[in-house]
Amino acid sequence: GDSVTQMEGPVTLSEEAFLTINCTYTATGYPSLFWYVQYPGEGLQLLLKATKADDKGSNKGFEATYRKETTSFHLEKGSVQVSDSAVYFCALPPYNQGGKLIFGQGTELSVKP
Amino acid sequence: EAGVTQFPSHSVIEKGQTVTLRCDPISGHDNLYWYRRVMGKEIKFLLHFVKESKQDESGMPNNRFLAERTGGTYSTLKVQPAELEDSGVYFCASSSLGQGNSPLHFGNGTRLTVT
């Protein structure tokens, strides 16, 4: 079945460091791909998405490119801030199952000043 | 517009007790979903309502879990009797009818601890 695998955390970086959080997937067809973020004490928020191969989603300085050939959707940011500390989840909708989502296990990011 | 609201934000109960979680979706959203994240693992789908009907309850762990959405507005998720492994964060999400693969709007979650 469809699945999502994320790199394990926690990840600890210094402010202004480069961030990569790896995400690979297995899916039937070519689903949309999402990154969600959960800031401390808050709910899940959509960070960015890509709807087809080679699309690049971007938001708040974060980027992720839909790579069909490597079945990946890695999240990157060139210079992280303390306010980026959160848990990040990669997700996709299973084939033909509407709004239902399959999530990765989440990667906790901690950015130190 | 008000977002998805969940209540309570935290609940601590003893094994064997009953707990009811509530979710108020965004007004007008016909799709309502429950998800759960256990012990830092992945967020897992529990079930999906379209209005008051259960569209998909394939993720419900067992018959100790009962979800309802009377009138197609708010939803409740009851755990009876609770077990230790039920501890986790329960998320509710909603979307408009027909959004297909469009992203969901999530609540802040209810953190359930069973002792």
Side-chain angles (χ1 to χ4, degrees):
Chain A
D2 295 0
S3 67
V4 176
T5 302
Q6 283 181 240
M7 64 183 285
E8 291 196 18
V11 174
T12 302
L13 296 174
S14 298
E15 209 164 20
E16 299 184 3
F18 184 86
L19 168 71
T20 300
I21 299 178
N22 291 338
C23 170
T24 56
Y25 66 89
T26 303
T28 302
Y30 302 105
S32 296
L33 299 174
F34 303 97
W35 276 101
Y36 279 82
V37 59
Q38 184 182 18
Y39 297 104
E42 299 183 15
L44 288 164
Q45 302 172 26
L46 178 66
L47 180 60
L48 55 84
K49 68 175 182 178
T51 57
K52 61 183 187 296
D54 299 325
D55 263 5
K56 178 184 285 187
S58 61
N59 186 27
K60 299 182 179 181
F62 290 89
E63 293 182 338
T65 301
Y66 191 158
R67 301 285 188 199
K68 184 177 66 174
E69 61 278 7
T70 55
T71 61
S72 65
F73 192 54
H74 304 323
L75 183 68
E76 296 182 334
K77 186 174 185 181
S79 176
V80 294
Q81 305 301 311
V82 172
S83 57
D84 294 325
S85 298
V87 183
Y88 293 81
F89 295 91
C90 187
L92 61 81
Y95 179 71
N96 205 28
Q97 293 189 48
K100 178 178 175 180
L101 290 173
I102 293 174
F103 287 89
Q105 70 266 38
T107 302
E108 183 178 358
L109 170 66
S110 178
V111 181
K112 306 298 184 186
Chain B
E1 109 189 316
V4 176
T5 305
Q6 292 187 244
F7 182 83
S9 57
H10 294 82
S11 180
V12 180
I13 61 172
E14 294 183 352
K15 176 182 173 182
Q17 289 186 322
T18 297
V19 62
T20 300
L21 314 181
R22 172 167 170 149
C23 169
D24 286 76
I26 291 173
S27 178
H29 279 192
D30 289 323
N31 291 300
L32 188 149
Y33 303 82
W34 284 98
Y35 287 83
R36 177 175 73 169
R37 188 182 192 212
V38 173
M39 286 293 291
K41 296 186 178 178
E42 70 271 28
I43 299 171
K44 286 194 172 181
F45 168 83
L46 295 179
L47 87 160
H48 171 206
F49 284 99
V50 176
K51 298 184 180 179
E52 67 276 8
S53 299
K54 291 177 185 175
Q55 184 78 10
D56 180 353
E57 50 184 332
S58 60
M60 294 288 264
N62 51 60
N63 59 10
R64 295 185 294 102
F65 289 75
L66 175 64
E68 296 180 321
R69 194 183 181 195
T70 306
T73 54
Y74 71 91
S75 174
T76 58
L77 179 64
K78 182 162 71 174
V79 185
Q80 178 183 31
E83 298 289 345
L84 298 178
E85 65 264 25
D86 300 332
S87 296
V89 181
Y90 290 77
F91 292 102
C92 176
S94 71
S95 69
S96 297
L97 190 64
Q99 281 199 339
N101 288 337
S102 294
L104 306 178
H105 299 264
F106 282 83
N108 286 359
T110 294
R111 181 174 296 277
L112 174 64
T113 303
V114 182
T115 62

